[in-house]
Amino acid sequence: MDHPKTGGSKKVKSVWSERPLEIDESKTEIGKYVSLDCEFVGVGPDGKRSALARVSIVNFYGAVVLDEFVLPEERVTDWRTWVSGIRPSDMKNAKSFKEVQNSVADIVNGRVLVGHALANDLKVLLISHPKRLIRDTSKHAEFRKLAKGRAPALKKLAKEILGIDIQGDEHSSIEDARACILLFRKYKVDFERIAQSKSHHSAKVRQSQPMAQSTNNKLA
């Protein structure tokens, strides 16, 4: 069942207004592919530990599926507004971590999940997702060439591959999620070919394990 767009959305900068054919907010069906991005604030004595403060999910066309502010379970000691875009006033209508976590888990379940360095987002959300359904733009080989084999910054990928500027001032999780889905769409054939190859390899490994076990039993 498709989920309606939830509340809490901030106004997104018009970085996308020059590319109306790439972002189509009229296509609201969730579909097979979703892109997720999170924003964090600092908690603890020095504010160095990260706590979830906002989650955004867009569909294949860049339409917002979910955009929620999350009330941190610990006292915020560094709002990191300069990079997170999060302010104390955003917490006025924020939802609990558990409520947002359940919504995210429900939406991504069974779908291909796109994002940048998704391990960080999933870790903070306390959600797992099958590797075969993850498409991470920070790990794609073609993209890593732009960073000499290292994980490239999303800002760099957006500029050099999509020709758009993001994260100019404060970050927007909607903007970042949209950049990820556009990168995925541009290289979708490569992403899916690699994922299929890994899936076939894993299947062969699983098939060979019982045979190996049977051989060991005969030798015992």
Side-chain angles (χ1 to χ4, degrees), residues 16 23 32 57 65 71 73 82 98 100 110 116 133 142 145 147 149 166 173 187 197 201 215 218:
W16 310 104
I23 299 298
K32 179 180 179 180
I57 299 177
V65 174
L71 189 64
E73 297 181 323
W82 64 276
K98 192 64 178 178
V100 176
H116 194 79
L133 294 178
E142 284 299 311
K145 290 178 181 178
I166 64 172
S173 46
Y187 285 81
S197 176
H201 175 72
T215 300
K218 287 180 180 180

Side-chain angles (χ1 to χ4, degrees), residues 45-113:
D46 52 8
K48 290 184 178 180
R49 286 191 294 112
S50 294
L52 185 67
R54 187 184 181 189
V55 184
S56 300
I57 299 177
V58 303
N59 66 12
F60 186 77
Y61 302 99
V64 176
V65 174
L66 175 143
D67 183 39
E68 293 289 1
F69 289 104
V70 184
L71 189 64
E73 297 181 323
E74 297 183 53
R75 186 174 69 86
V76 177
T77 51
D78 184 356
W79 290 95
R80 303 178 185 174
T81 303
W82 64 276
V83 63
S84 71
I86 306 296
R87 293 173 171 78
S89 59
D90 293 325
M91 296 297 107
K92 182 179 180 181
N93 297 311
K95 294 185 177 180
S96 70
F97 174 85
K98 192 64 178 178
E99 186 175 2
V100 176
Q101 180 195 47
N102 288 338
S103 295
V104 172
D106 192 25
I107 291 171
V108 304
N109 183 40
R111 292 187 165 94
V112 175
L113 182 61

Side-chain angles (χ1 to χ4, degrees), residues 32-46:
K32 179 180 179 180
Y33 303 95
V34 292
S35 179
L36 175 147
D37 189 74
C38 299
E39 298 295 347
F40 309 99
V41 292
V43 296
D46 52 8

Side-chain angles (χ1 to χ4, degrees), residues 11-31:
K11 184 178 181 181
V12 182
K13 294 179 182 179
S14 59
V15 66
W16 310 104
S17 61
E18 298 175 1
R19 314 177 84 79
L21 297 180
E22 296 185 6
I23 299 298
D24 190 343
E25 297 187 55
S26 69
K27 295 183 177 180
T28 58
E29 183 178 354
I30 298 180

Side-chain angles (χ1 to χ4, degrees), residues 130-200:
K131 287 185 178 180
R132 62 183 176 82
L133 294 178
I134 289 178
R135 307 292 185 267
D136 196 323
T137 55
S138 73
K139 295 183 177 181
H140 190 54
E142 284 299 311
F143 298 163
R144 292 178 76 96
K145 290 178 181 178
L146 296 175
K148 299 181 179 179
R150 297 176 302 223
L154 181 58
K155 179 180 178 70
K156 181 180 181 69
L157 294 179
K159 179 66 174 179
E160 297 196 17
I161 296 177
L162 301 175
I164 57 176
D165 290 305
I166 64 172
Q167 303 174 355
D169 296 310
E170 301 168 5
H171 289 206
S172 161
S173 46
I174 291 179
E175 185 178 274
D176 289 356
R178 283 176 166 172
C180 286
I181 202 66
L182 289 180
L183 287 165
F184 171 73
R185 281 164 52 179
K186 195 174 183 69
Y187 285 81
K188 182 175 179 289
V189 173
D190 289 342
F191 270 103
E192 295 307 292
R193 175 179 52 78
I194 293 170
Q196 188 174 42
S197 176
K198 288 181 178 179
S199 179
H200 287 167

